[in-house]
Amino acid sequence: MTPLAAKVIWLIGVVGWFIIRYPHARRARRTPKHRRSDRGRELVLLAISATGLGIVPVIYVFTGAPRFANYPMQPWQGWLGAALFAASLWLFYRTHKDLGRNWSVTNGVYGRVRHPMYSAFWLWALAQALLLPNWVAGLAGLVGFGTLFFLRVGREEALMAETFGDEYRRYMARTSRILPGVY
């Protein structure tokens, strides 16, 4: 696989991501939401993640910058990256399908993993690292999304435990955070 083909696969993956997300985001806009007290923090975390998974790689894909960080791509990287991005898209789709209109489910992919949407983002970030042979653009997704994940997931789980009590604690005990049987 060539670097150009890998860039095209990355772009197709990102477009696929938005196609999967669009109807759900549109429906979510109509749903009233509770104003969070940490809204500024959330916006900063989302901006960091979007920079790593979107802005930096888009600049690289369309301009090749930063060129100093390029490295030779091995064909296996592209194929593995494409497979991981496909898995990411499948999991992202499956997560939305299992969620439906609910924001509290424990079946489907949620029966094994508490945060399958985060798992899908991790797969995207890993795919990006393999598909984009550039130390900055490739790894930006892991850094950007990793920042959001590690600064958000603990707070989310504490909120869920506070809201749902022992029921959520039992759910936590029988599921993994993002990788079944591991973490």
Side-chain angles (χ1 to χ4, degrees):
M1 177 175 301
T2 67
L4 177 60
K7 287 178 180 182
V8 169
I9 289 169
W10 182 85
L11 280 170
I12 290 169
V14 172
V15 169
W17 197 273
F18 284 102
I19 289 169
I20 292 167
R21 182 72 186 133
Y22 180 76
H24 304 283
R26 190 168 174 227
R27 186 174 57 238
R29 273 184 251 138
R30 293 184 297 228
T31 304
K33 292 170 191 64
H34 174 70
R35 266 305 226 229
R36 296 176 59 146
S37 61
D38 63 349
R39 190 166 195 273
R41 179 181 188 276
E42 278 297 301
L43 289 173
V44 168
L45 289 176
L46 289 170
I48 291 168
S49 184
T51 299
L53 287 170
I55 296 169
V56 172
V58 161
I59 290 169
Y60 170 72
V61 165
F62 288 106
T63 70
R67 293 188 197 294
F68 73 86
N70 288 343
Y71 63 86
M73 180 176 183
Q74 302 300 315
W76 65 266
Q77 277 179 253
W79 294 113
L80 181 56
L84 286 175
F85 218 138
S88 171
L89 290 170
W90 175 84
L91 183 56
F92 194 60
Y93 169 78
R94 191 67 217 191
T95 297
H96 282 79
K97 185 173 174 38
D98 289 350
L99 258 180
R101 293 186 180 271
N102 302 310
W103 285 105
S104 177
V105 292
T106 58
N107 53 18
V109 291
Y110 289 88
R112 302 202 53 206
V113 177
R114 292 190 300 276
H115 306 285
M117 200 172 297
Y118 286 163
S119 301
F121 275 103
W122 278 118
L123 286 172
W124 173 352
L126 287 170
Q128 179 174 305
L130 292 165
L131 288 168
L132 304 181
N134 180 283
W135 291 110
V136 174
L139 298 177
L142 290 169
V143 173
F145 179 69
T147 300
L148 178 137
F149 176 79
F150 288 111
L151 292 177
R152 182 195 252 186
V153 73
R155 293 176 121 195
E156 283 185 356
E157 289 192 337
L159 177 65
M160 297 297 281
E162 182 182 312
T163 303
F164 297 105
D166 288 339
E167 183 181 348
Y168 189 74
R169 287 182 195 86
R170 284 190 298 274
Y171 174 64
M172 288 174 72
R174 72 175 189 273
T175 59
S176 298
R177 251 186 187 164
I178 59 164
L179 189 60
V182 178
Y183 176 73

